[in-house]
């Protein structure tokens, strides 16, 4: 089935009906004027409402998957429950072979796992630690998949851990020491400083200093 190249959230008039039946966009939850304003709004309240609409949408995975094939980083507004910055992170992560399993991410929002995800979200754990915990508890997921699930419920999806215990290293040093492998691989694949910062979830200044320290020592 061919799909339309969409750069905004789908509207029924914007997509074709195919021989196999209606395009998935005709079943999307964002088919109202109110949703249209929220999906392109820049306020935190509008983004939260748009994300809530996406969470109730029966074709959220199809929406995000379809846009992934047409450079979702250039899309505007909310797409498949993710905002522009989050979709940029997915594009950067793909440079190093990280691709979320969206079906697994949706499973983490099921009644069986969502309460656990909600509680762990507030524990300050990294997405890698969360992935390890969920896998040990019976649902095999990787870090990028957990990250998408957290984004869907409004979480940050941490790569860089909060400061814990007696670790007094400044943030740039923790980034340099704890994430050297990812940084070096991203840079080798052509990622800019702003891309590395987005992937790690830190400021460009922090990411740049950590990266420069690593490259100077290489």
């Amino acid at each position: 089935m061919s799909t339309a190249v969409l750069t905004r959230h789908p509207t029924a008039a914007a997509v074709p009906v195919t021989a196999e039946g209606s395009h998935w966009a005709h079943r999307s939850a964002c088919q109202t004027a109110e949703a249209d304003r929220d999906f392109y709004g820049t306020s935190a309240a509008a983004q939260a409402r748009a994300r809530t609409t996406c969470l109730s949408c029966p074709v959220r995975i199809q929406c995000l998957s379809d846009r992934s094939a047409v450079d979702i980083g250039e899309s505007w507004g909310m797409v498949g429950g993710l905002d522009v910055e989050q979709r940029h992170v997915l594009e950067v992560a793909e440079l190093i072979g990280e691709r979320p399993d969206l079906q697994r991410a949706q499973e983490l929002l099921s009644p069986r796992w969502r309460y656990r995800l909600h509680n762990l979200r507030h524990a300050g754990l990294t997405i890698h630690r969360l992935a390890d915990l969920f896998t040990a508890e019976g649902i095999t997921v990787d870090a990028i998949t957990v990250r998408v699930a957290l984004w869907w419920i409004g979480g940050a999806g941490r790569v860089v851990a909060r400061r814990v215990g007696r670790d007094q290293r400044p943030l740039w040093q923790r980034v340099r020491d704890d994430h050297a492998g990812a940084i070096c691989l991203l840079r080798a694949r052509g990622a800019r400083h702003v891309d590395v910062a987005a992937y790690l979830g830190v400021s460009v200044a922090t990411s740049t200093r950590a990266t420069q320290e690593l490259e100077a020592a290489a």
Side-chain angles (χ1 to χ4, degrees), residues 2-209:
S2 62
T3 56
V5 174
L6 307 174
T7 56
R8 295 175 178 265
H9 82 273
T11 60
V15 294
V17 177
T18 68
E20 290 90 345
S22 295
H23 189 280
W24 58 261
H26 290 270
R27 295 181 287 121
S28 66
C30 54
Q31 301 292 331
T32 67
E34 291 77 12
D36 188 77
R37 287 192 293 269
D38 289 339
F39 273 66
Y40 304 121
T42 57
S43 70
Q47 291 286 292
R49 288 193 297 269
R51 203 179 304 277
T52 297
T53 299
C54 283
L55 281 180
S56 70
C57 184
V59 292
R60 180 176 69 250
I61 289 179
Q62 292 94 319
C63 181
L64 187 55
S65 298
D66 208 10
R67 307 308 176 78
S68 295
V70 293
D71 193 6
I72 57 175
E74 297 301 320
S75 302
W76 181 253
M78 190 72 67
V79 173
L82 303 186
D83 61 32
V84 173
E85 290 77 14
Q86 291 161 346
R87 299 195 304 274
H88 175 218
V89 171
L90 290 188
E91 289 190 319
V92 176
E94 191 163 347
L95 291 175
I96 55 176
E98 295 183 4
R99 298 177 180 85
D101 182 332
L102 298 180
Q103 294 290 344
R104 285 290 194 184
Q106 181 155 288
E107 190 175 346
L108 286 175
L109 303 191
S110 67
R112 179 180 179 184
W113 297 108
R114 183 164 180 167
Y115 181 74
R116 180 71 167 141
L117 180 65
H118 179 79
N119 285 342
L120 290 174
R121 166 191 167 190
H122 294 286
L125 303 176
T126 68
I127 55 173
H128 295 88
R129 179 59 179 149
L130 290 176
D132 289 343
L133 288 173
F134 278 117
T135 298
E137 293 173 13
I139 178 170
T140 302
V141 291
D142 57 12
I144 193 67
T145 298
V146 172
R147 200 169 192 181
V148 170
L150 286 169
W151 284 336
W152 276 341
I153 63 171
R158 298 180 181 277
V159 169
V160 178
R162 295 176 183 171
R163 190 187 305 277
V164 295
R166 298 181 179 179
D167 189 346
Q168 296 302 311
R169 292 174 297 166
L171 180 57
W172 71 264
Q173 189 173 341
R174 290 196 289 121
V175 169
R176 181 199 65 186
D177 297 345
D178 300 345
H179 303 281
I183 292 171
C184 292
L185 189 54
L186 284 168
R187 292 289 285 171
R189 301 291 170 81
R192 304 163 297 168
H193 288 301
V194 66
D195 299 324
V196 176
Y199 175 83
L200 296 173
V202 298
S203 71
V204 176
T206 296
S207 171
T208 299
R209 180 166 183 184

